[in-house]
Amino acid sequence: MDSKQIKKELMRRGFDFSMIAEALGKSPSLVSKVASRKARSQPVALAISKALGEDIEVVFPDVEAYHQKPLTSEQRKQKQRELVALLKG
């Protein structure tokens, strides 16, 4: 979906970018930029997709990075430890 399609479908469902932004504690500008592919944020893209009732792959088929399952907090910490060890070695 392109930005106009996303915006139109959100409006049809009674939502807008500012509502998503407020729910996430982000700026409406970031939500708009993610929708138009001028910025990347998997949490924002996921929120847009959920608001549309669609899978993220349907709303953002062109952004491969969004198709990966996000790391859990513990997985991220483990990967950070691995990277620190790698960089020290």
Side-chain angles (χ1 to χ4, degrees):
M1 299 177 81
D2 67 25
S3 181
K4 287 182 182 181
Q5 291 170 315
I6 290 170
K7 194 171 188 174
K8 182 178 178 180
E9 184 60 22
L10 284 173
M11 287 177 62
R12 191 181 74 73
R13 293 171 175 262
F15 303 126
D16 62 27
F17 291 157
S18 64
M19 293 168 80
I20 293 172
E22 188 174 333
L24 295 174
K26 306 288 185 186
S27 72
S29 172
L30 176 61
V31 176
S32 176
K33 287 177 182 176
V34 169
S36 63
R37 282 49 169 201
K38 294 179 181 172
R40 293 218 175 147
S41 169
Q42 190 171 26
V44 172
L46 189 57
I48 291 170
S49 300
K50 284 183 178 182
L52 294 173
E54 295 284 356
D55 289 333
I56 199 166
E57 294 86 358
V58 172
V59 180
F60 297 95
D62 54 324
V63 186
E64 287 288 325
Y66 293 162
H67 304 180
Q68 311 291 321
K69 192 171 185 179
L71 296 176
T72 65
S73 177
E74 188 54 43
Q75 289 170 325
R76 184 173 169 79
K77 288 176 187 174
Q78 176 60 34
K79 292 308 255 178
Q80 285 178 307
R81 287 190 293 267
E82 287 178 28
L83 183 58
V84 168
L86 180 67
L87 296 175
K88 285 184 179 179

